[in-house]
């Protein structure tokens, strides 16, 4: 199926007139680099000695610095959300050390589902899909299912996690209750001979009683209570759709259209570049639109929009990724402080101060490519 | 390989890999001058890091990884993006060949840099998902999602004849 694209690329490359090798220039530049690296390594070694001598890093101050009374565990989870640093996961008022490398965190009403593996890479290792539930009170329970090479969907207003998996010659949409650690439903759907995605099964989103499967020709809306399924009207298929909180951020050339899953258009954001990447807050109330540079538009600034009111603001380039709490507060790292802010008005409270800001990862953050 | 190569040995290596690296660089960047600079930079870095290369047979793969990483770092630079030409077309068009060549390079130019790199590595270099992930220093999951996004965009630009609608990324 790739033959034509493969052939075009090879034809283009084979027609190239290859310039001669400027070996002298290459060697000259290589020698300069080698000298610089030798000089730099002594400086680095000295810096490491200093760090070891002072006892290393990592101590958190988890108490808020403002004067408001500490929230209950449940309220802190809703408003302060989850963030990670130095192998520990911070959920609301509590901190938990997680065994294995944290690869992903998914919000549910029962707490966060943590996906762990062996790699130590903060991106997903598709072969490591161990799951645990971390509750707002900091207690941890292992979960039965594994997510091997699949992308799940959750919702902060539901104790469920949904994912697709191959079963024989078909796929099935699986819904699991993380509070009770029990299977809720498994609904089969067609598995084509060739799929658009590279995972073991297509990625899914969860909203209400539906699992939204990013399938070949459209998004397939599977009602896991009844087993009925139908296409999501207007969805193009063949890509991973952005769906959260009952809303869908439809990325089209020149614009992003946010609509309800019933089809009502809520917000249209024009995009100056050809395409934009988007991220919805877990409750679907806010959308981040990050125009992608195609080499002609220069730098384009990401923006944050209130889907209901249309209010918006630009996100400064040095602000870093924006995370989310279950209730739609924006999580931000500012200096050495983790802040929880109302998204558009930017009224913030300090969640914590950290010693190593570079190690911080915010749940549901848009770490754009 | 526990010692630095002689200049003669490295020159021989550079001659052997130059054309292959240049072709990949051109597909990544779409500009001949930039491609030449990229390959020179990658080979210079390879020369500087030669003791890290485990054996001479691994050297071409190492140089390709350095080339891709260097291109990625260039893409992130503000000045590089602003100076880049807005349209990329081949210098010569074969009037007797009504092929998709101009459309291909223009379509590649529209892709964000990482997606373009994934397409070139997977569908020109024929790397597996795992190999592409290693070359780009990203996870296999990201390679897959970037592949699917890139193919969807190429499909709208080049049509189903070039990128069939049911084209899969799972051809490892």
């Amino acid at each position: 199926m790739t033959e034509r694209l493969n052939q075009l690329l090879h034809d283009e490359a084979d027609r190239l007139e290859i310039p001669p090798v400027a070996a002298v220039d290459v060697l000259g530049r290589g020698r300069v680099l080698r000298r610089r690296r030798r000089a730099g390594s002594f400086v680095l070694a000295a810096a490491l000695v200093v760090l070891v001598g002072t006892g290393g890093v990592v101590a958190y101050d988890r108490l808020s610095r403002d004067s408001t009374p500490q929230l209950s565990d449940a309220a802190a989870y809703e408003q302060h959300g989850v963030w990670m640093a130095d192998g520990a996961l911070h959920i609301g008022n509590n901190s938990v050390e997680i065994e294995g490398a944290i690869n992903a965190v998914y919000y549910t009403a029962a707490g966060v589902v943590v996906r762990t593996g062996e790699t130590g890479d903060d991106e997903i290792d598709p072969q490591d899909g161990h799951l645990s539930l971390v509750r707002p009170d900091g207690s941890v329970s292992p979960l039965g299912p594994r997510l091997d090479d699949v992308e799940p969907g959750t919702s902060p207003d539901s104790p469920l996690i949904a994912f697709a998996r191959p079963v024989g010659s078909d796929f099935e949409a699986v819904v699991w209750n993380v509070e009770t650690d029990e299977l809720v439903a498994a609904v089969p759907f067609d598995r084509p001979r060739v799929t658009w995605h590279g995972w073991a099964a297509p990625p899914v989103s969860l909203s209400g009683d539906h699992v939204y499967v990013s399938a070949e020709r459209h998004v397939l809306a599977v009602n896991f209570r009844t087993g009925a399924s139908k296409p999501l009207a207007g969805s193009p298929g063949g890509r991973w759709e952005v769906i959260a909180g009952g809303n869908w951020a439809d990325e089209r050339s020149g614009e992003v259209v946010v609509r309800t899953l019933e089809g009502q258009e809520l917000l249209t954001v024009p995009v100056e570049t050809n395409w934009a990447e988007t991220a919805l807050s877990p409750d679907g109330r806010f959308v981040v639109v990050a125009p992608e540079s195609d080499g002609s538009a220069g730098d384009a600034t990401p923006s944050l929009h209130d889907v209901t009111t249309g209010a918006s603001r630009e996100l400064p380039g040095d602000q870093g990724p924006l995370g989310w709490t279950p209730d739609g507060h924006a999580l931000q790292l500012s200096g050495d402080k983790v802040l929880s802010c109302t998204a558009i008005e930017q009224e913030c409270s300090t969640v914590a101060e950290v010693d190593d800001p570079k190690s911080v990862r915010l749940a549901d953050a848009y770490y754009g490519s | 390989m526990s010692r630095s190569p002689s200049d003669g040995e490295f020159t021989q290596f550079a001659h052997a890999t130059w054309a292959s690296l240049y072709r990949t660089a051109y597909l990544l960047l779409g500009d001949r001058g930039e491609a030449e600079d990229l390959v020179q930079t990658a080979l210079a870095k390879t020369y500087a890091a030669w003791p890290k290369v485990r054996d001479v047979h691994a050297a071409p793969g190492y140089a390709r990884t350095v080339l891709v990483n260097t291109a990625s770092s260039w893409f992130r630079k503000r000045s590089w993006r602003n100076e880049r030409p807005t349209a990329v077309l081949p210098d010569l068009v074969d009037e007797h060949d009504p092929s998709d060549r101009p459309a291909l390079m223009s379509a590649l130019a529209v892709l964000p840099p990482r997606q373009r790199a994934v397409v070139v590595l997977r569908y020109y270099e024929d790397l597996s998902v795992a190999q592409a992930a290693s070359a780009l220093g990203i996870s296999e999951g990201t390679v897959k999602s970037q592949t699917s996004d890139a193919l969807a965009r190429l499909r709208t630009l080049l049509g189903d004849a070039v990128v069939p609608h049911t084209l899969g990324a799972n051809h490892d």
Side-chain angles (χ1 to χ4, degrees):
Chain A
M1 302 289 278
T2 68
E3 290 84 5
R4 183 68 187 136
L5 178 62
N6 184 275
Q7 189 63 52
L8 285 176
L9 288 165
H10 278 278
D11 287 348
E12 185 65 35
D14 290 345
R15 290 173 202 264
L16 280 174
E17 189 175 319
I18 308 296
V21 179
V24 173
D25 292 342
V26 169
L27 287 171
R29 291 168 69 173
R31 291 190 195 104
V32 170
L33 286 174
R34 193 181 292 169
R35 284 195 295 273
R36 283 181 191 162
R37 290 183 185 184
R38 286 193 187 125
S41 65
F42 292 110
V43 173
L44 180 61
L48 286 174
V49 167
V50 170
L51 280 174
V52 170
T54 56
V57 284
V58 187
Y60 306 111
D61 183 340
R62 289 282 293 115
L63 299 176
S64 172
R65 290 304 193 189
D66 63 29
S67 59
T68 56
Q70 189 162 346
L71 299 170
S72 68
D73 286 342
Y77 170 63
E78 287 286 317
Q79 294 181 34
H80 294 170
V82 172
W83 52 281
M84 291 150 284
D86 300 315
L89 182 143
H90 305 275
I91 176 168
N93 292 324
N94 299 291
S95 299
V96 180
E97 286 202 16
I98 301 291
E99 221 174 281
I102 299 173
N103 288 337
V105 166
Y106 310 106
Y107 280 127
T108 77
V112 288
V113 174
V114 178
R115 180 178 191 163
T116 55
E118 302 289 332
T119 62
D121 192 322
D122 65 353
E123 292 191 278
I124 294 172
D125 179 335
Q127 302 306 319
D128 287 342
H130 299 283
L131 300 181
S132 303
L133 173 66
V134 181
R135 300 180 189 81
D137 65 3
S139 60
V140 182
S141 302
L143 293 172
R146 281 182 58 105
L147 298 182
D148 287 325
D149 202 25
V150 293
E151 295 294 331
T154 61
S155 174
D157 62 1
S158 163
L160 307 176
I161 185 169
F163 56 93
R165 63 185 176 192
V167 177
S169 60
D170 284 329
F171 288 128
E172 64 179 8
V174 177
V175 179
W176 194 274
N177 188 316
V178 301
E179 217 163 28
T180 61
D181 199 16
E182 291 177 335
L183 177 70
V184 172
V187 181
F189 60 96
D190 288 340
R191 178 182 187 175
R193 187 177 60 82
V194 180
T195 58
W196 69 268
H197 55 80
W199 295 279
V204 307
S205 304
L206 177 69
S207 186
D209 290 340
H210 287 84
V211 177
Y212 292 89
V213 181
S214 291
E216 299 309 305
R217 296 193 176 275
H218 44 244
V219 172
L220 187 66
V222 179
N223 186 320
F224 62 83
R225 304 286 184 197
T226 67
S229 62
K230 63 179 181 179
L232 178 65
S235 57
R239 67 182 193 185
W240 191 357
E241 294 296 338
V242 179
I243 294 174
N247 291 339
W248 166 33
D250 185 4
E251 301 163 358
R252 296 184 178 270
S253 180
E255 64 181 9
V256 172
V257 179
V258 181
R259 49 172 69 90
T260 68
L261 291 168
E262 289 74 35
Q264 179 191 357
E265 287 197 11
L266 300 174
L267 177 73
T268 298
V269 180
V271 177
E272 291 178 359
T273 57
N274 287 329
W275 300 97
E277 289 199 7
T278 62
L280 282 167
S281 59
D283 57 3
R285 292 194 293 139
F286 302 99
V287 63
V288 172
V289 178
E292 292 186 348
S293 170
D294 61 359
S296 61
D299 289 331
T301 306
S303 55
L304 173 66
H305 304 257
D306 184 317
V307 168
T308 304
T309 69
S312 66
R313 66 177 177 95
E314 286 190 346
L315 297 175
D318 60 354
Q319 182 168 306
L322 193 74
W324 295 103
T325 69
D327 71 348
H329 279 74
L331 280 177
Q332 299 179 1
L333 181 66
S334 178
D336 63 353
K337 292 189 174 67
V338 176
L339 305 178
S340 174
C341 311
T342 56
I344 299 294
E345 292 79 18
Q346 277 290 285
E347 296 170 6
C348 300
S349 61
T350 299
V351 175
E353 292 183 13
V354 300
D355 284 344
D356 185 10
K358 289 182 184 174
S359 70
V360 171
R361 293 291 181 270
L362 308 172
D364 235 60
Y366 177 70
Y367 290 95
S369 62
Chain B
M1 189 171 292
S2 59
R3 63 168 181 84
S4 299
S6 68
D7 287 356
E9 287 169 336
F10 187 85
T11 300
Q12 193 173 18
F13 165 75
H15 276 282
T17 56
W18 175 266
S20 172
L21 292 174
Y22 181 81
R23 292 189 181 99
T24 299
Y26 175 75
L27 290 175
L28 285 173
L29 302 178
D31 180 272
R32 288 175 174 74
E34 288 176 356
E36 188 171 351
D37 192 16
L38 176 61
V39 181
Q40 284 197 5
T41 302
L43 286 174
K45 291 181 177 180
T46 302
Y47 178 85
W50 199 258
K52 289 185 188 177
V53 181
R54 285 164 296 170
D55 62 64
V56 66
H57 299 294
Y62 182 86
R64 181 178 61 200
T65 298
V66 172
L67 181 131
V68 172
N69 287 341
T70 303
S72 296
S73 70
W74 286 10
F75 297 149
R76 287 192 291 272
K77 287 181 184 174
R78 191 182 300 264
S79 60
W80 183 83
R81 284 201 290 269
N82 287 339
E83 292 163 6
R84 202 160 168 266
T86 57
V88 179
L89 293 173
D91 291 337
L92 295 174
V93 175
D94 186 346
E95 294 180 349
H96 301 291
D97 178 6
S99 72
D100 308 292
R101 283 185 56 233
L104 172 69
M105 293 308 295
S106 295
L108 286 178
V110 169
L111 295 180
R114 181 178 275 178
Q115 289 182 18
R116 182 170 182 162
V118 165
V119 168
V120 170
L121 291 179
R122 297 209 60 212
Y123 297 108
Y124 173 70
E125 293 272 358
D126 287 329
L127 298 189
S128 68
V129 169
Q131 290 170 328
S134 177
L136 289 167
I138 59 179
S139 73
E140 293 184 27
T142 300
V143 169
K144 291 171 185 176
S145 64
Q146 292 289 307
T147 301
S148 68
D149 285 349
L151 292 179
R153 291 175 187 183
L154 289 178
R155 186 178 301 123
T156 65
L157 295 166
L158 300 175
D160 281 0
V162 177
V163 186
H165 196 86
T166 54
L167 183 65
N170 56 342
H171 60 278
D172 282 342

